[in-house]
Amino acid sequence: MNTFSAYLFRQALGPLLAILGALAAIAILTQGLNQLDIIITNRRAGFAFAWVTLLAIPQLVSLILPLALFFAVLYAVNRMHSDSEIAVAYSAGVSRGRIARPIMQLAFLAAVLHLAINTVIQPAALRERREVFYDLRTDIASSLVREGSFTSPSEHLTLYARERGSGGEMRDLMINDARPQFPITYTARAGAVVMIDGAPAIVLRDGQVQRQVADGTVDVLDFDRYTLQLGRFFEAPETFFLKPSDRYLHDLFFPDLTSHYDQRNVERFLAEAHSRLSSPLLNIAMVLIALAGVLVGEFSRHGYGRRMMIAAACALVVRLLALAFQAAAIDQPALNLLQYALPLTASLAALFVVGGKAPRRRRHALGPEFARMGAGS
């Protein structure tokens, strides 16, 4: 890659990284707000938020990369037009294909990266992310008690702990069980949430059990150690299933047909698999559409706003159609072919525009600026 090509490559790469960063930041913030209820109630809130945010990045990049590449190329080439750099290049005998070559190299690199994200990085990250959220939802020790406040994890249970120490130990506990006809109150100087045979329980130390009886009196039982089973107060967590976005390509093309969940989602898995293989082609299509919008046509001192708007509309339509075809393929697997046909057709159409016939006069082939200068001589 010579100096001029490297310069063009950098001009498109810079805006691409900036747009990816901005869009990813917005999407990450949205993802964090969606899971805020889980994060703020967990003792590992800071670590959990940072980790699940990091794990969400591959899927976000996969989703926004084609459009980010489109806008980056559109911005870069339009800026070079505004600074007359394209006109100067034409005047120096640089062809349209030579200008487009480094930008297309960026598109192919983006497509390879997109494919790697879709087939390896994204499923690994999302699988880990789903397991983290599953662990957080089932982490009774983290979400059961909030320090210094009353909580009701179920309809008939109220808990209070004055403070929580290291290792999850709680001090000065009060637990009220209103499930029986006569409520039971447990108080203890210390306690900790543990798992016994897969069910949550609280081990209380140095406390009392107070229970009202039918005649209105209260029975009091002192204890040194008491284990209160909590399994009956909580619904079992939902079964852990790997969604289509969490699976590798092999798992999508060859699901486990002994699983009821997999049997009901074979078509969905197939649509997801073909989407992952076809979506990298959108990067090439988007770059060609951007080049067709700003690199082709007569030189204009008034800018290329109209052509850029048309190119943006075309790019948006292609991206929306790609999502629509993926959704439609869930019900009609034969439509999976459209997921490949769409980016290929868009690429060929844009390539035809970019590689169209040069103007009849030879001086026009050297560039619009050179033609204008020649006409004035």
Side-chain angles (χ1 to χ4, degrees), residues 44-57 125 128-129 132:
R44 298 174 293 172
F47 172 79
F49 180 77
W51 183 232
V52 299
T53 297
L54 182 65
L55 293 174
I57 291 178
E128 172 66 18
R129 189 169 186 261
V132 169

Side-chain angles (χ1 to χ4, degrees), residues 32-116:
L33 293 176
N34 289 340
Q35 305 296 340
L36 191 61
D37 59 328
I38 298 174
I39 294 172
I40 63 177
T41 59
N42 194 277
R43 67 172 179 268
R44 298 174 293 172
F47 172 79
F49 180 77
W51 183 232
V52 299
T53 297
L54 182 65
L55 293 174
I57 291 178
Q59 185 184 34
L60 299 175
V61 171
S62 175
L63 182 64
I64 65 179
L65 181 56
L67 282 178
L69 188 60
F70 168 80
F71 286 114
V73 172
L74 202 69
Y75 168 81
V77 178
N78 182 65
R79 188 199 63 77
M80 294 178 69
H81 264 304
S82 301
D83 295 343
S84 299
E85 293 177 344
I86 297 295
V88 171
Y90 281 146
S91 301
V94 177
S95 65
R96 185 188 299 166
R98 186 178 173 187
I99 293 175
R101 188 178 302 118
I103 298 176
M104 290 305 303
Q105 290 174 349
L106 177 62
F108 281 108
L109 288 176
V112 173
L113 174 63
H114 198 168
L115 183 63

Side-chain angles (χ1 to χ4, degrees), residues 153-199:
S154 71
E155 183 180 357
H156 303 291
L157 187 68
T158 302
L159 300 97
Y160 172 84
R162 182 176 59 83
E163 65 177 353
R164 296 177 60 175
S166 59
E169 184 181 44
M170 299 172 285
R171 300 184 180 90
D172 296 336
L173 286 88
M174 191 280 293
I175 304 173
N176 183 65
D177 180 3
R179 185 179 59 88
Q181 180 181 2
F182 298 102
I184 305 175
T185 300
Y186 304 85
T187 57
R189 290 186 179 275
V193 178
V194 298
M195 300 297 291
I196 300 177
D197 296 330

